[in-house]
Amino acid sequence: MESPNLEFEYGDTDSLTTELSEIYSYTEEPEFALNRDYFEEDFRSHVRGRRWIELGQEQQKSYVMRLLDALEVTDRDKRLKVARAILYLAQGVFDECDTDADVIHWSRHNVFLLYDMGIFTALLELLSMEMDNNQACSSAVRKPAISLADSTELRVLLSIMYLMVETIRLQTEDDRPEWRTAREAFKTELGSPLYNGEPFALQLFTMVTKFCSMNAPHFPMKKVLLLLWKTILFTMGGFEELQEMKVRGRERLSLPPLPEDSIKVVRSMRAASPPASAMELIEQQQQAKRGRRSRRPLVKQDSLDTYNERDPFKNDDARDEEEDGEEADSGIEGEVDPLDTDVIIQPPPPPPPLRPPTERASLPKGLPWAPKVREKDIEQFLETSRNKFIGFTLGNDTETLVGLPRPIHESVKTLKQHKYVSIAEMQIKREEELQQCPMTLGEEDVDETPTEILYLGMLPNLSQYVIALLKLLLAAAPTSKAKTDSINILADVLPEEMPITVLQSMKLGIDVNRHKEIIVKAISALLLLLLKHLKLNHIYQFEIVSQHLVFANCIPLILKFFNQNILSYISAKNSICVLDFPHCVVHEMPELTAESLEAGDRNQFCWRNLFSCINLLRILNKLTKWKHSRTMMLVVFKSAPILKRALKVKQAMMQLYVLKLLKIQTKYLGRQWRKSNMKTMSAIYQKVRHRLNDDWAYGNDIDARPWDFQAEECALRESIEKFNSRRYDKNQNGEFAPVDNCLQSVLCQRVELPEDFHYSYEMWLEREVFSQPIQWEGLLQQAQ
C-alpha cells in the first residue's frame, strides 16, 4: 500500500503538551493523585480556606520558601513528600483547573516562581545525593527485577527539573519582562560550570554512563535522556539558532553569505512517490505480458502530448515546484513504466484551463539548491586540464590560465562563481597555521561558549558517553532482540505488580513501546544537536565525536534500525490519548477497553517516530559526508536496499536525507544497479544539491580511490590529537619556556653545589685551570 503525503513539519520539538506528557509513563498515572494529596495536606495546614490560585504573589512566595526549608530535612520520607508537593505545583495545580490550557498556564506561572525562589539549585544538591546513594545502587543491583518503586526519589526530582527546563526554555508572546530575564539567567546558569565545577549536562551524562556500566540499574533513563536533550537544546540553541550562528560565523570570517536558507528550502520541498518493491515489479511485469503492449506506444504518445499541451509555458530548464511534485509523483514510482501498471488504460484527462502567466511567475523555478564547488575541486580540475593541454602542473595555483583553451577559461569562471568555502575549511586552515607557528601566532582566543564548556568537560570520558548512548539506542530500537545480557531500559516503566488481566497487559505493552520510542527520540535529537553545535564550534571537536561514533558501530546500528517495516514504525499508535498529561488529570477518566486501547490516536503518522527517523538519517549523513572509507561502509553493509525501502515514507525531508545517502554510494553500486534504479537516480537529481565536479552518476574514478579505512581514520585521529593537545593540554609548552640570556643575572644566581665539591674544588682548579698553558696569542689570532 502506498502511504499518503505526510503533513509533517520538522522542528526542534513537538508541541508543548506532547513534550510534557512524554516525561511520564502510563504506569506513573496513580502518582498524580499522590502529589496532589501531599500538597493539599501541607497547604491546608498553613493556608486555611483558600486555594493556591487565589493567593497573591507574595503569599505564594512565602509558601514556596517554606517548602524549600522543608527540603533540608534528613528524613528521606519527609523530603520525598515535600518534593512531591513541589512537583504538583510545577504540574500546574491541576485539581484547581478546568481545562488543559489552565493547567499549562498555572504550570508556567508556578515554574517561574519556583526558579525565582532557588528551587532548582536545591534540587541539584538532592540529585547529587541520590546519584551517590550507594545503598540504593547496591540493593538495585541485587534485585532480580527492578520496578518503578526503586527510582521514586529520582523520578520526582527529574520530573520537576524537566518541567522547569522545558517550560522556561519556551518563549511566548505574553511573557512578562521578569520571565525573559529569568530565562536568560537560567540559560547561562545551565551552560556554565556552576554545579560542582561542571555544566549540568555533564552531570546527566555521568548518570547515563553509571547506568550503562550496570552500577546504577535503577536510574530512570528515559527521564535522564529527555532532560539531557532539553538542557542541550536550551543552552546551545535549536536548528534555527544554529542557522543564525552559522550566518554570524561566516560574517566574522569575512566569507560570502549562504546561498540559501536550508531550513526554508527543505520545508518547501514536496515528497515523491516511492520506488516499487520487488513484488510490485513482478506483478507489473506479469500484467504487462497480458497483451497490452500493442496499445502502449499510442497511449504513451497521447498522454505525453496532453501533458505538454497542458502547460505551454513549460520548458526543460525551469520547472515550477508544483510540476516538479506532479512529475515526481509519477517519477520514482517503480522501475518500470508506470503506464504498464494499469489493467484498463484510461483515456487521457481533458487539459485543465491554462493559468495566467502572473500566477506562474510567483512560483520558484528550477532546482531547489544552488550548486556548490570546493577550492579542492577547482584545483583538481585545473591540474587535469594542465596535464592534458600543457604537460605540467602548477600545484595549488587556481589563477594562472596561460596556455589553456577558451572553454577551460569558461569552465573555471563557472566553477569560481559557485565556489563555497565552509567555516570548517577556514578552521582547518587556521589550525594548520597555529601548528606550524606556535610562537609567532601566540595563544588562540577561545570563546567560552556553552558548547566549548561542555566539550571541555566531556573530553576526558568522551568515548564512554558515546558508547553509553549507543547502547541505550540499541536497547530501545524496535529491531533489537531481547537478550539477557543487554541493559534493562524499562526500570522506570514496569509496575511493582505485573499485570493480571489482558487489558492491563495491553496497556503495559503500549507503555513499553512508547517508552522505547521516546528514548530513541531523545538520543537521536541529542546526538544530532551535539554534532551540529560541535561542528560549528570547531571542526575537530565534531570529528572526534564522529570518530567515536563510527568506532562504536553507529553506522551499522542506524542501518539495523531502518531494516524494519519503516512504514509501520512511522504510523505506530503506541499512545493512549486519554492517559496523556494534562488530559488525564483534568477530565473524567473513561473506562478503558481493549477497543479504545487499540484505536490509538487518529493521526496518519506518529510525530516522534518520524522525527527520530529523520534525525538518525541526518546523523548518518554527517558521519559519512566527504569520508570515503565510511561511504564504503555503507556499501559493505548493503545499505542501498534498506535506504530505498525508507523512500516509501512520503515525506520530503526524510526522502532528501535518504537520497543524499544513496547519492554518495551510487558510483560504487555498479552500472547494473544504476540502470535498474533510474527513477531513484532522477529523484536524486531533482532533490539533492549538485556538486559541479561530482561524478556521482557514472563512477569513473572508482579505481583511483582504494579503500584504506585505517590510513584515512588514522590521519584524521592524528589531526584531532594535535588540536586537543595544542588547545587543551596545559603542559604542552614546556620546551618553549623562556630562557635567561643575561650574563649578569645568570652569574648572580645561587647554584646548589654537591657536598664533595668543597673538598675537591682546589684540586680541580689546579688540574683544569692553573696547570693548563693558555696560548693567548693563538686565541687573539682566531678571534681576528
Side-chain angles (χ1 to χ4, degrees), residues 256-314:
L258 292 164
E260 70 276 293
D261 185 336
S262 54
I263 294 172
K264 288 178 184 172
V265 174
V266 171
R267 279 181 183 161
S268 64
M269 275 189 174
R270 295 183 58 180
S273 291
S277 65
M279 283 301 292
E280 288 165 346
L281 287 176
I282 293 164
E283 284 174 21
Q284 287 164 0
Q285 284 164 1
Q286 286 172 348
Q287 287 171 0
K289 289 174 186 173
R290 292 174 191 158
R292 294 183 293 109
R293 289 196 177 274
S294 58
R295 292 179 62 188
R296 202 178 113 206
L298 255 174
V299 176
K300 194 169 181 182
Q301 184 62 48
D302 197 2
S303 65
L304 191 66
D305 292 343
T306 308
Y307 189 72
N308 285 339
E309 281 169 18
R310 189 177 61 183
D311 191 351
F313 308 107
K314 181 177 183 292

Side-chain angles (χ1 to χ4, degrees), residues 192-205:
S192 306
L194 296 178
Y195 311 114
N196 303 330
E198 56 188 30
F200 177 53
L202 211 62
Q203 204 166 349
L204 297 172
F205 268 119

